[in-house]
Amino acid sequence: LMLTQPQYKQDATASWAPGTSLIYLVAFCDAAYLALAAQMLRTLYHFGGYCGDVLFITEEALKASILAMPELVHFKVHFLILGPCFRGPKEEQRLVAAVARMRVFEFDGIQRFNTLLYL
């Protein structure tokens, strides 16, 4: 899912420009998802050459585990901390996580990015 703010023109030849692009992901309820996030960050850095801004939309309980990820040294990391994870059935947890990704616009610094990529 890639969102571009309407006041910016999209250029098909544009690359990831530091300070203008934000990659964001959602991590809730289960620290096991962080292994997948770490793999994604390694891939972005080593194969994609990306070393810009990354936003984690998460809960306070996972923040320390995220900060312990060695892959973060290559990125400027931001957090949008939401309420604690709903501990109900897996289907309902997935719904909560799906809705959380749309809350990216609650991040205080969002206006300075012209390209958003959800992974």
Side-chain angles (χ1 to χ4, degrees):
L1 174 66
M2 184 179 284
L3 304 172
T4 302
Q5 292 183 357
Q7 67 265 30
Y8 297 95
K9 289 186 177 180
Q10 265 186 305
D11 178 8
T13 62
S15 62
W16 293 102
T20 64
S21 301
L22 176 70
I23 292 176
Y24 72 102
L25 56 134
V26 175
F28 280 94
C29 301
D30 190 348
Y33 289 118
L34 298 183
L36 182 60
Q39 180 65 39
M40 179 202 66
L41 293 172
R42 280 191 299 275
T43 302
L44 281 170
Y45 178 73
H46 292 293
F47 298 106
Y50 184 78
C51 57
D53 293 88
V54 175
L55 170 67
F56 285 89
I57 300 176
T58 190
E59 60 185 320
E60 189 64 44
L62 289 181
K63 186 175 179 181
S65 297
I66 292 168
L67 286 170
M69 295 168 58
E71 293 80 8
L72 296 184
V73 299
H74 304 294
F75 306 97
K76 183 173 182 185
V77 179
H78 309 276
F79 287 93
L80 175 59
I81 303 296
L82 301 179
C85 177
F86 174 73
R87 305 283 179 204
K90 285 282 187 194
E91 295 79 23
E92 292 182 31
Q93 288 179 12
R94 287 188 194 115
L95 178 61
V96 169
V99 170
R101 76 183 76 163
M102 301 312 290
R103 294 180 66 183
V104 66
F105 297 102
E106 295 177 26
F107 172 56
D108 283 339
I110 197 71
Q111 66 280 357
R112 66 186 182 92
F113 299 101
N114 65 5
T115 303
L116 307 176
L117 176 63
Y118 170 76
L119 295 177

Coordinates of all heavy atoms in Angstrom, one line a residue, residues 37-96:
A37 N 9.7 -8.5 10.9 CA 10.1 -7.1 10.7 C 11.6 -6.9 10.5 O 12.1 -6.2 9.7 CB 9.6 -6.2 11.9
A38 N 12.4 -7.7 11.3 CA 13.8 -7.6 11.2 C 14.3 -8.1 9.9 O 15.2 -7.4 9.3 CB 14.5 -8.5 12.3
Q39 N 13.7 -9.1 9.4 CA 14.1 -9.6 8.0 C 13.7 -8.6 7.0 O 14.5 -8.4 6.0 CB 13.3 -11.0 7.7 CG 13.7 -11.5 6.4 CD 15.1 -11.9 6.2 OE1 15.7 -12.5 7.2 NE2 15.7 -11.7 5.1
M40 N 12.6 -8.0 7.1 CA 12.2 -6.9 6.1 C 13.2 -5.8 6.2 O 13.6 -5.3 5.1 CB 10.8 -6.4 6.5 CG 10.3 -5.3 5.5 SD 9.0 -4.3 6.2 CE 9.9 -3.4 7.5
L41 N 13.6 -5.3 7.3 CA 14.5 -4.2 7.4 C 15.9 -4.6 6.9 O 16.5 -3.8 6.2 CB 14.7 -3.8 8.9 CG 13.4 -3.1 9.5 CD1 13.6 -2.9 11.0 CD2 13.1 -1.8 8.8
R42 N 16.4 -5.8 7.1 CA 17.6 -6.3 6.5 C 17.5 -6.2 5.0 O 18.5 -5.8 4.3 CB 18.0 -7.7 7.0 CG 18.6 -7.7 8.3 CD 19.2 -9.1 8.6 NE 18.2 -10.2 8.6 CZ 17.5 -10.5 9.7 NH1 17.6 -9.8 10.8 NH2 16.6 -11.5 9.6
T43 N 16.4 -6.7 4.4 CA 16.2 -6.7 3.0 C 16.2 -5.3 2.4 O 16.8 -5.0 1.4 CB 14.9 -7.5 2.6 OG1 15.1 -8.8 3.2 CG2 14.7 -7.5 1.2
L44 N 15.4 -4.4 3.1 CA 15.4 -3.0 2.6 C 16.7 -2.4 2.6 O 17.0 -1.7 1.6 CB 14.5 -2.2 3.6 CG 13.0 -2.4 3.4 CD1 12.2 -1.7 4.5 CD2 12.5 -1.8 2.0
Y45 N 17.5 -2.7 3.6 CA 18.9 -2.0 3.6 C 19.8 -2.7 2.6 O 20.5 -2.0 1.8 CB 19.4 -2.1 5.0 CG 20.8 -1.5 5.2 CD1 21.0 -0.1 5.1 CD2 21.9 -2.3 5.3 CE1 22.3 0.4 5.2 CE2 23.2 -1.8 5.4 CZ 23.3 -0.4 5.3 OH 24.6 0.1 5.4
H46 N 20.0 -4.0 2.7 CA 21.0 -4.7 1.9 C 20.6 -4.8 0.4 O 21.5 -4.7 -0.5 CB 21.3 -6.1 2.4 CG 21.9 -6.0 3.8 ND1 23.2 -5.6 3.9 CD2 21.5 -6.4 5.0 CE1 23.6 -5.6 5.2 NE2 22.5 -6.1 5.9
F47 N 19.4 -5.0 0.1 CA 19.0 -5.1 -1.3 C 18.3 -3.9 -1.9 O 18.4 -3.7 -3.1 CB 18.1 -6.4 -1.5 CG 18.9 -7.7 -1.1 CD1 18.5 -8.3 0.1 CD2 19.9 -8.2 -1.9 CE1 19.2 -9.5 0.4 CE2 20.5 -9.4 -1.6 CZ 20.2 -10.0 -0.4
G48 N 17.7 -3.2 -1.1 CA 16.9 -2.0 -1.6 C 17.7 -0.7 -1.4 O 17.3 0.3 -2.0
G49 N 18.8 -0.7 -0.6 CA 19.5 0.5 -0.4 C 18.8 1.5 0.4 O 19.2 2.7 0.4
Y50 N 17.8 1.1 1.1 CA 17.0 2.1 1.8 C 17.6 2.3 3.2 O 17.9 1.3 3.9 CB 15.5 1.7 2.0 CG 14.7 2.7 2.7 CD1 14.2 3.8 2.0 CD2 14.3 2.5 4.0 CE1 13.4 4.8 2.6 CE2 13.5 3.5 4.6 CZ 13.1 4.6 3.9 OH 12.3 5.5 4.6
C51 N 17.8 3.5 3.6 CA 18.3 3.8 5.0 C 17.7 5.0 5.6 O 18.3 5.8 6.2 CB 19.9 3.9 5.0 SG 20.5 5.1 3.9
G52 N 16.4 5.2 5.2 CA 15.7 6.4 5.7 C 14.8 6.1 6.9 O 15.2 5.4 7.8
D53 N 13.7 6.8 6.9 CA 12.8 6.8 8.0 C 11.9 5.5 8.0 O 11.4 5.1 7.0 CB 11.9 8.0 8.0 CG 12.7 9.3 8.2 OD1 13.2 9.8 7.2 OD2 12.8 9.7 9.4
V54 N 11.7 5.0 9.2 CA 10.8 3.8 9.4 C 10.0 4.1 10.7 O 10.5 4.6 11.7 CB 11.6 2.5 9.7 CG1 10.7 1.4 10.0 CG2 12.5 2.2 8.5
L55 N 8.7 3.9 10.5 CA 7.7 4.2 11.6 C 7.1 2.8 12.0 O 6.6 2.1 11.2 CB 6.6 5.1 11.1 CG 5.4 5.3 12.1 CD1 5.8 6.0 13.4 CD2 4.3 6.0 11.4
F56 N 7.2 2.6 13.3 CA 6.5 1.4 13.9 C 5.3 1.9 14.6 O 5.3 2.7 15.5 CB 7.4 0.7 15.0 CG 8.5 -0.1 14.4 CD1 9.7 0.5 14.1 CD2 8.4 -1.4 14.1 CE1 10.8 -0.2 13.6 CE2 9.4 -2.2 13.6 CZ 10.6 -1.6 13.3
I57 N 4.1 1.4 14.2 CA 2.9 1.6 14.9 C 2.7 0.4 15.8 O 2.6 -0.7 15.3 CB 1.7 1.7 13.9 CG1 1.9 2.9 12.9 CG2 0.4 1.9 14.6 CD1 0.9 3.1 11.8
T58 N 2.7 0.6 17.0 CA 2.8 -0.5 18.0 C 2.2 -0.1 19.3 O 1.7 0.9 19.5 CB 4.3 -1.0 18.1 OG1 4.3 -2.2 18.8 CG2 5.2 0.0 18.8
E59 N 2.4 -1.0 20.3 CA 2.0 -0.8 21.6 C 3.2 -0.7 22.5 O 4.3 -1.1 22.1 CB 1.1 -2.0 22.1 CG 1.8 -3.3 22.1 CD 0.8 -4.4 22.5 OE1 0.0 -4.3 23.4 OE2 0.9 -5.5 21.9
E60 N 3.0 -0.1 23.7 CA 4.2 0.2 24.6 C 4.9 -1.1 24.9 O 6.1 -1.1 25.1 CB 3.7 0.9 25.8 CG 4.8 1.4 26.7 CD 5.7 2.5 26.1 OE1 5.1 3.4 25.5 OE2 6.9 2.4 26.2
A61 N 4.2 -2.2 25.1 CA 4.7 -3.5 25.5 C 5.8 -4.0 24.5 O 6.7 -4.8 24.9 CB 3.6 -4.5 25.7
L62 N 5.7 -3.6 23.3 CA 6.7 -4.1 22.3 C 7.8 -3.2 21.9 O 8.7 -3.5 21.2 CB 5.9 -4.5 21.0 CG 5.1 -5.7 21.0 CD1 4.4 -6.0 19.6 CD2 5.8 -7.0 21.4
K63 N 7.7 -1.9 22.4 CA 8.7 -0.9 22.1 C 10.1 -1.3 22.4 O 11.0 -1.2 21.6 CB 8.3 0.4 22.7 CG 9.2 1.5 22.2 CD 8.8 2.9 22.7 CE 9.7 4.0 22.3 NZ 9.3 5.3 22.8
A64 N 10.3 -1.8 23.6 CA 11.7 -2.2 24.0 C 12.2 -3.3 23.1 O 13.4 -3.3 22.8 CB 11.7 -2.7 25.5
S65 N 11.4 -4.3 22.8 CA 11.9 -5.4 21.9 C 12.2 -4.8 20.5 O 13.2 -5.3 19.9 CB 10.8 -6.4 21.7 OG 10.5 -7.0 23.0
I66 N 11.4 -3.9 20.0 CA 11.7 -3.3 18.7 C 13.1 -2.5 18.8 O 13.9 -2.6 17.9 CB 10.6 -2.3 18.3 CG1 9.3 -3.2 18.0 CG2 11.0 -1.5 17.1 CD1 8.1 -2.4 17.8
L67 N 13.2 -1.7 19.8 CA 14.5 -0.9 20.0 C 15.7 -1.8 20.1 O 16.8 -1.4 19.8 CB 14.4 0.0 21.2 CG 13.5 1.2 21.0 CD1 13.2 1.9 22.3 CD2 14.1 2.1 19.9
A68 N 15.5 -3.1 20.5 CA 16.7 -4.0 20.7 C 17.1 -4.6 19.3 O 18.1 -5.3 19.3 CB 16.3 -5.1 21.7
M69 N 16.3 -4.4 18.3 CA 16.6 -5.0 17.0 C 17.9 -4.3 16.4 O 18.0 -3.1 16.2 CB 15.5 -4.8 16.0 CG 14.2 -5.5 16.4 SD 12.7 -5.0 15.5 CE 13.2 -5.3 13.8
P70 N 19.0 -5.1 16.1 CA 20.2 -4.6 15.6 C 20.0 -3.9 14.2 O 20.8 -3.0 13.9 CB 21.2 -5.7 15.6 CG 20.3 -7.0 15.6 CD 19.0 -6.6 16.3
E71 N 19.1 -4.3 13.5 CA 18.8 -3.8 12.1 C 18.5 -2.3 12.2 O 18.7 -1.6 11.2 CB 17.7 -4.5 11.4 CG 18.0 -5.9 11.1 CD 17.8 -6.9 12.3 OE1 17.3 -6.5 13.4 OE2 18.2 -8.1 12.1
L72 N 18.1 -1.8 13.3 CA 17.6 -0.4 13.4 C 18.7 0.6 13.2 O 18.5 1.8 12.9 CB 16.9 -0.1 14.7 CG 15.6 -0.9 14.9 CD1 14.9 -0.4 16.2 CD2 14.6 -0.7 13.7
V73 N 20.0 0.2 13.3 CA 21.1 1.2 13.2 C 21.2 1.8 11.8 O 21.7 2.9 11.7 CB 22.5 0.5 13.5 CG1 22.5 0.0 14.9 CG2 22.8 -0.6 12.5
H74 N 20.5 1.2 10.8 CA 20.6 1.8 9.5 C 19.4 2.7 9.2 O 19.4 3.3 8.1 CB 20.5 0.6 8.5 CG 21.5 -0.4 8.6 ND1 22.9 -0.2 8.4 CD2 21.5 -1.7 9.0 CE1 23.6 -1.3 8.7 NE2 22.7 -2.2 9.0
F75 N 18.5 3.0 10.1 CA 17.3 3.7 9.9 C 17.1 4.8 10.9 O 17.6 4.7 12.0 CB 16.1 2.8 9.8 CG 16.3 1.6 8.9 CD1 16.7 0.4 9.3 CD2 16.0 1.8 7.5 CE1 16.8 -0.7 8.5 CE2 16.2 0.8 6.6 CZ 16.6 -0.5 7.1
K76 N 16.3 5.8 10.5 CA 15.8 6.8 11.5 C 14.5 6.2 11.9 O 13.5 6.2 11.1 CB 15.7 8.1 10.9 CG 15.3 9.2 11.9 CD 15.3 10.6 11.3 CE 14.9 11.6 12.4 NZ 14.8 12.9 11.9
V77 N 14.3 5.8 13.2 CA 13.2 5.1 13.7 C 12.2 6.0 14.4 O 12.7 6.9 15.2 CB 13.6 3.9 14.6 CG1 12.4 3.2 15.1 CG2 14.5 3.0 13.8
H78 N 10.9 5.9 14.1 CA 9.9 6.6 14.8 C 8.9 5.7 15.4 O 8.8 4.5 14.9 CB 9.2 7.6 13.8 CG 10.1 8.4 13.0 ND1 10.6 9.6 13.5 CD2 10.6 8.2 11.8 CE1 11.4 10.1 12.5 NE2 11.4 9.3 11.5
F79 N 8.1 6.1 16.3 CA 7.1 5.3 16.9 C 5.8 6.0 17.0 O 5.8 7.2 17.3 CB 7.5 4.8 18.4 CG 8.5 3.8 18.4 CD1 9.9 4.2 18.5 CD2 8.2 2.5 18.3 CE1 10.9 3.2 18.5 CE2 9.2 1.5 18.3 CZ 10.6 1.9 18.5
L80 N 4.7 5.3 16.8 CA 3.4 5.8 17.1 C 2.8 4.7 18.0 O 2.5 3.6 17.6 CB 2.5 5.9 15.8 CG 1.0 6.3 16.0 CD1 0.9 7.6 16.8 CD2 0.2 6.3 14.7
I81 N 2.7 5.1 19.3 CA 2.3 4.1 20.3 C 0.8 4.3 20.5 O 0.3 5.3 20.8 CB 3.0 4.4 21.7 CG1 4.5 4.3 21.5 CG2 2.5 3.4 22.7 CD1 5.1 3.0 21.1
L82 N 0.1 3.1 20.3 CA -1.3 3.1 20.4 C -1.6 2.3 21.7 O -0.7 1.7 22.3 CB -2.0 2.4 19.2 CG -1.7 3.1 17.9 CD1 -2.4 2.4 16.8 CD2 -2.2 4.6 17.9
G83 N -2.9 2.2 22.1 CA -3.3 1.4 23.2 C -2.8 0.0 23.2 O -2.5 -0.5 22.1
P84 N -2.9 -0.7 24.3 CA -2.5 -2.1 24.3 C -3.3 -3.0 23.4 O -4.5 -2.7 23.1 CB -2.7 -2.5 25.8 CG -3.5 -1.5 26.4 CD -3.4 -0.2 25.6
C85 N -2.7 -4.0 23.0 CA -3.4 -5.0 22.0 C -4.6 -5.6 22.6 O -4.7 -5.9 23.8 CB -2.4 -6.1 21.7 SG -3.1 -7.3 20.6
F86 N -5.6 -5.7 21.8 CA -6.8 -6.5 22.2 C -6.4 -8.0 22.3 O -5.9 -8.5 21.3 CB -7.9 -6.2 21.1 CG -9.1 -7.0 21.4 CD1 -10.0 -6.7 22.4 CD2 -9.4 -8.1 20.6 CE1 -11.1 -7.5 22.6 CE2 -10.6 -8.9 20.8 CZ -11.4 -8.6 21.8
R87 N -6.6 -8.6 23.4 CA -6.2 -10.0 23.6 C -7.4 -11.0 23.3 O -7.4 -12.0 23.9 CB -5.7 -10.2 25.0 CG -4.6 -9.2 25.4 CD -3.3 -9.6 24.8 NE -2.3 -8.6 25.2 CZ -1.2 -8.4 24.5 NH1 -0.9 -9.1 23.4 NH2 -0.3 -7.5 25.0
G88 N -8.2 -10.7 22.4 CA -9.3 -11.6 22.0 C -8.9 -12.6 21.0 O -7.8 -12.9 20.8
P89 N -9.9 -13.1 20.3 CA -9.6 -14.2 19.3 C -8.8 -13.6 18.2 O -8.8 -12.4 17.9 CB -11.0 -14.5 18.8 CG -12.0 -14.0 19.8 CD -11.3 -12.9 20.5
K90 N -8.0 -14.5 17.5 CA -7.0 -14.1 16.5 C -7.7 -13.3 15.4 O -7.1 -12.4 14.9 CB -6.3 -15.3 15.9 CG -5.3 -15.9 16.8 CD -4.0 -15.1 16.7 CE -2.9 -15.9 17.5 NZ -1.8 -15.0 17.7
E91 N -8.9 -13.7 15.0 CA -9.6 -13.0 13.9 C -9.8 -11.5 14.3 O -9.7 -10.6 13.5 CB -10.9 -13.6 13.6 CG -10.8 -15.0 13.0 CD -10.6 -16.1 14.1 OE1 -10.9 -15.9 15.3 OE2 -10.0 -17.1 13.7
E92 N -10.2 -11.3 15.6 CA -10.4 -9.9 16.0 C -9.1 -9.1 16.2 O -9.0 -7.9 15.9 CB -11.2 -9.9 17.3 CG -12.6 -10.4 17.1 CD -13.5 -10.3 18.3 OE1 -13.2 -9.5 19.2 OE2 -14.4 -11.2 18.5
Q93 N -8.0 -9.8 16.6 CA -6.7 -9.2 16.6 C -6.3 -8.7 15.3 O -5.7 -7.6 15.1 CB -5.7 -10.1 17.2 CG -5.8 -10.4 18.7 CD -4.8 -11.4 19.2 OE1 -3.8 -11.7 18.5 NE2 -5.0 -11.9 20.4
R94 N -6.5 -9.5 14.2 CA -6.2 -9.1 12.9 C -6.9 -7.9 12.4 O -6.4 -7.0 11.8 CB -6.4 -10.3 11.9 CG -5.4 -11.4 12.0 CD -5.6 -12.4 10.9 NE -4.9 -13.6 11.3 CZ -5.4 -14.8 11.5 NH1 -6.7 -15.0 11.5 NH2 -4.7 -15.8 11.9
L95 N -8.2 -7.8 12.8 CA -9.0 -6.6 12.5 C -8.4 -5.4 13.1 O -8.3 -4.3 12.5 CB -10.4 -6.8 12.9 CG -11.4 -5.7 12.6 CD1 -11.4 -5.3 11.1 CD2 -12.7 -6.0 13.1
V96 N -8.1 -5.5 14.4 CA -7.5 -4.4 15.1 C -6.2 -3.9 14.5 O -5.9 -2.7 14.3 CB -7.3 -4.7 16.6 CG1 -6.4 -3.7 17.3 CG2 -8.6 -4.9 17.3

